Amino acid sequence: MSYQRVNHTNEKQIEEVLATLSLEQKIGQLNLIPIEGEVTDEQRELIAQGKVGSVLKSNGAKQNKELQEIAVNNGVVPILFQEDVIHGYKTITPVPLAEAASWDLELIEQAAAVAAKEAAAAGIHLTYAPMVDISRDPRWGRILEGAGEDPYLGALISEKRVRGFQQANDKQEERVLATVKHFAGYGASLAGRDYNIQDISERELREIHLPPFQAAVDAGVSSVMLAYTAYDGTALTANQFLVQKVLKDELGFKGLIMTDWETIPNLLKIGAAENIREATQMAIENSVDMDMTSNAYIDNLAELVASGTVDEALIDESVRRVLRLKQQVGLLDAPFLYFDEAREKATLLSQESKDTALAIARKSMVLLENKAALLPLDKSDEKLKKVAVIGPFAKAQEDLNGWWFAMGKGEDTQNIFDAIAAECSGFDIEVTFSQGVSISKFDKVGEEFITEAVKTAAAADVAILVLGEEHWMSGEGGGTASLHLPGLQEQLVEAISASLTPVVSVIVSGRPYVLTNVASKSTALLQAWMPGTMGGKAVADILFGNYNPAGRLPVTFPYHQGQVPIFYNYKRTSHSFDAGEKDLRYTTTYRDVQSEPLYPFGYGLSYSEFVYSAPTLSATSMTKDGSIELSVTVENSSAVDGVETVQLYIRDEVSKVARPFMELKDFQQVTIPAGKSLTLSFTITAEKLAYIGPNLQSCVETGIFTVFAGPNSYLKGTSTNFTIEKPQEAYAAQFRFV
Ligand code: BGC
């Protein structure tokens, strides 16, 4: 059979294939089984009988091809191979939260394209990404898998990641189908505990959680994974409102819907079904097409049809949706297209992949502090003779790769110590090491190691402390009550800072930690995230000035863990703490700590200095069909070229339903040469002023709007140009929408 590229669905072919299938074989198409490691005889038998429509886990082109041969030789519809390719397959790019910190949509798409190319070369047709759950709680371990707290940024990134997986590469055999997950509201798990209940209003669902799903659907995402959780008390698997009305009717999704791991039997655990038969019926009647790993469909559907409980037409519909995906990746015409060991060898960890991984690792890192312009370190500085690299993550490899690393290996990842040593080689600089503390399995390596680390730091001209969390501490099931760096790491920073050697702290983590103590004891602070295969080099490039940092936080960094959940776009209240009340006692403040975060959404420093002029508007009023241009001039007053992300926020001053203090509505990322100014222009249309109105429908209301164009959501920090009391005002302009 010759392969033809399929860009459209060929319904005739789908119907022809469907007509050849018995009821049992149809049900087999809906069954997804995991195969980890060696294939068992039982699994081979199931495939030969047509009881396996899809396989989960990456086992490489060779093994996947062997399994496909069993299917094809037995006249079974070819298998769709699936895997969690979340941020890279073999070459690991930064965790998605970190990638979001680049605010570089093209690079994010490219990173997804690299992941797709590698995964597809290893025989994977479909990935369980992008995860687009908005989260406002860094205690939730899965915050690292998404794009942070903002629905606007989240939606843009969702679209790019879908396109990167599904379309960006030239050839079909370099693309994978994307699965947007976890529909919907999972990121609001209460108290940061994974899989926990959430209780969000329909308004919050629509304003905050749905936009990235809508963006994925609009970008043509192939499948949707339903969350483990419930919405308004009804598990997603059985939630007709969310699946039928919202996902299908409103968002317009026509593709495949799958469960998460064993979600159908979970209906019993949460008390929504009496037995597995009932749970199965609830799922299929809610258009849940694919059963991940539970065997509920394979064990129960045939009987449900035979007894007349479930209409076979429902099963046919689900099978059509499976077959369409198979057709899209060429499986119905060329079952072996994705299994080419030579291509796999040439593609995994290729130079092209590593170049992209380095580019996005560098761009994702966020410089949080740089007191007295300590960074970048100058290798030709006479005073820089000894660099101490200290801390439990200085030589970490696996931990740089995060929680979902597919086939990525720690041994392919250069550690930060080695990268710094390589950077300094050829210069008259000695690089020393001390572990300081260990956080492995929480066994705290104590005081004597700290003493040795202090000695190492004291003997050096600068101490680079690499701190953070192990790769398993974030991610699925990675809820944490404490947001302080694990173990004795804060004590280590404190002890070393007393040595008077300047301290650069580098944080390897998948989530925002409370860095208040670390920041106060460090001269410079870099949020490096879990940066992937090329993360070590990216850190060295930033510390030594080969790269001018440009990352901006996609999530708020709390000042104190008691502040969470914390985010920038909170709704205005009568007593908002930053609404100008003189007596703070009667505002939404804490009595014991500041209410502002340590670092706000959108924040990040650069080696350049950017000075904003007050924005100007092309008119003072605007009509529904019209638009207004906002202009803002940003000057790079420093001697180094730099990248600035100019952010546009809007506040609706008066509205029927409470609106946020400010909302991100646009941004532009530009390179501004040293000493030069750039004037940027943003177009404001009615679409940017729309919101979910009183009837939960999108609407626009006339009135006054304030627009802010500045460096971050608190509009503070990067410039001393404005000395007025409320920094936001310096970045604001107002117009009337009529
Ligand atoms: C996770 C999903 C993941 C699936 C398959 C589940 O536990 O919630 O995000 O795709 O496992 O590995």
Side-chain angles (χ1 to χ4, degrees), residues 392-393 399 435 437-445 469-470 472-473 486-489:
F393 297 94
D399 295 322
Q435 164 136 337
V437 294
S438 160
I439 61 160
S440 199
K441 297 194 181 67
F442 295 113
D443 60 355
K444 299 174 181 175
V445 175
E469 62 178 341
E470 293 186 359
W472 57 273
M473 290 179 169
L488 298 180
Q489 297 187 87

Side-chain angles (χ1 to χ4, degrees), residues 570-583:
Y570 55 88
K571 299 262 171 75
R572 292 157 70 196
T573 68
S574 59
H575 291 63
S576 297
F577 71 86
D578 41 7
E581 274 296 324
K582 288 277 175 292
D583 184 351

Side-chain angles (χ1 to χ4, degrees), residues 56 84 128 142 181-182 225 228 260-261 292 404 476:
L56 187 177
D84 288 284
Y128 303 136
R142 301 198 82 166
K181 68 185 186 185
H182 308 80
M225 188 189 294
Y228 282 127
D260 203 338
W261 195 282
M292 186 193 286
W404 294 109
E476 188 172 346

Side-chain angles (χ1 to χ4, degrees), residues 3 39 52 98-99 115 135 299 407 430 510 527 552 618 648 657 670 672 676 696 730:
Y3 168 68
V39 189
V52 177
E99 291 194 3
S135 177
D299 291 346
M407 295 298 267
E430 189 189 346
Q527 176 65 34
R552 300 289 179 263
S618 59
L648 183 90
V657 178
V670 284
I672 311 184
K676 294 271 187 293
L696 294 174

Side-chain angles (χ1 to χ4, degrees), residues 262-583:
E262 295 189 359
T263 328
I264 299 175
N266 284 355
L267 289 173
L268 275 66
K269 291 192 192 159
I270 64 172
E274 228 172 72
N275 50 50
I276 189 68
R277 187 177 179 275
E278 194 187 345
T280 305
Q281 182 186 349
M282 287 161 94
I284 195 76
E285 287 181 350
N286 197 23
S287 318
V288 176
D289 303 313
M290 195 173 280
D291 168 17
M292 186 193 286
T293 65
S294 86
N295 290 328
Y297 280 1
I298 219 77
D299 291 346
N300 298 286
L301 271 183
E303 187 278 322
L304 281 165
V305 171
S307 63
T309 315
V310 163
D311 187 348
E312 189 171 345
L314 273 185
I315 293 169
D316 287 351
E317 271 308 307
S318 288
V319 176
R320 285 189 183 97
R321 287 189 283 266
V322 174
L323 294 178
R324 282 187 201 117
L325 293 201
K326 293 191 171 185
Q327 187 181 60
Q328 242 178 295
V329 288
L331 277 173
L332 302 187
D333 300 303
F336 298 103
L337 182 68
Y338 277 56
F339 316 120
D340 176 340
E341 284 178 72
R343 184 155 52 85
E344 179 182 31
K345 197 156 176 271
T347 308
L348 304 194
L349 275 178
S350 68
Q351 196 54 47
E352 182 197 1
S353 299
K354 288 200 256 181
D355 289 348
T356 299
L358 177 62
I360 194 150
R362 297 202 295 199
K363 200 137 193 204
S364 69
M365 294 184 183
V366 186
L367 184 65
L368 298 173
E369 299 285 347
N370 194 16
K371 297 168 202 163
L374 174 67
L375 296 178
L377 302 172
D378 179 0
K379 285 177 295 190
S380 22
D381 183 347
E382 279 302 301
K383 289 191 227 108
L384 192 67
K385 288 280 169 261
K386 199 180 259 193
V387 173
V389 184
I390 296 171
F393 297 94
K395 293 197 174 177
Q397 293 178 290
E398 213 179 13
D399 295 322
L400 301 191
N401 285 343
W403 168 254
W404 294 109
F405 45 82
M407 295 298 267
K409 292 261 181 303
E411 68 208 39
D412 296 325
T413 303
Q414 189 183 33
N415 71 48
I416 293 174
F417 173 85
D418 284 348
I420 290 173
E423 183 62 34
C424 294
S425 87
F427 290 80
D428 185 17
I429 299 175
E430 189 189 346
V431 182
T432 57
F433 168 74
S434 175
Q435 164 136 337
V437 294
S438 160
I439 61 160
S440 199
K441 297 194 181 67
F442 295 113
D443 60 355
K444 299 174 181 175
V445 175
E447 311 255 305
E448 67 279 18
F449 292 90
I450 293 188
T451 311
E452 191 206 299
V454 171
K455 271 196 208 141
T456 310
D461 302 307
V462 64
I464 298 169
L465 261 65
V466 191
L467 311 169
E469 62 178 341
E470 293 186 359
H471 74 107
W472 57 273
M473 290 179 169
S474 274
E476 188 172 346
T480 183
S482 167
L483 284 173
H484 287 274
L485 291 175
L488 298 180
Q489 297 187 87
E490 286 193 13
Q491 287 90 318
L492 178 68
V493 192
E494 175 144 17
I496 288 183
S497 71
S499 76
L500 299 183
T501 301
V503 172
V504 178
S505 293
V506 175
I507 310 297
V508 172
S509 74
R511 53 153 61 92
Y513 271 96
V514 169
L515 298 175
T516 309
N517 297 337
V518 177
S520 73
K521 302 289 176 203
S522 307
T523 315
L525 178 59
L526 180 70
Q527 176 65 34
W529 310 103
M530 290 172 167
T533 308
M534 300 304 288
K537 175 149 176 52
V539 168
D541 280 346
I542 288 178
L543 298 187
F544 290 91
N546 305 334
Y547 184 82
N548 186 356
R552 300 289 179 263
L553 297 177
V555 66
T556 302
F557 272 48
Y559 173 84
H560 187 282
Q561 64 191 19
Q563 292 175 325
V564 300
I566 184 168
F567 46 93
Y568 84 96
N569 51 350
Y570 55 88
K571 299 262 171 75
R572 292 157 70 196
T573 68
S574 59
H575 291 63
S576 297
F577 71 86
D578 41 7
E581 274 296 324
K582 288 277 175 292
D583 184 351

Side-chain angles (χ1 to χ4, degrees), residues 17 89 102 170 217 321 349 371 398 440 449 472 584 598 621 695:
V17 176
Y89 178 74
S102 72
D170 291 339
V217 172
R321 287 189 283 266
L349 275 178
K371 297 168 202 163
E398 213 179 13
S440 199
F449 292 90
W472 57 273
L584 285 183
L598 183 63
S621 73
N695 307 328

Side-chain angles (χ1 to χ4, degrees), residues 86 96 128-135 140 142-162 165 178-188 205 208-217 221 223-225 251:
I86 310 293
Y128 303 136
M131 186 278 217
V132 302
D133 299 317
I134 299 288
S135 177
W140 192 52
R142 301 198 82 166
I143 196 169
L144 99 171
E145 272 182 68
E149 72 187 38
D150 184 64
Y152 175 77
L153 183 63
L156 293 175
I157 291 175
S158 167
E159 178 202 330
K160 289 295 182 180
R161 300 196 81 218
V162 169
F165 288 128
T179 305
V180 69
K181 68 185 186 185
H182 308 80
F183 190 76
Y186 181 30
L205 174 81
I208 304 296
H209 300 281
L210 289 185
F213 285 98
Q214 178 75 73
V217 172
V221 73
S223 52
V224 169
M225 188 189 294
L251 306 195

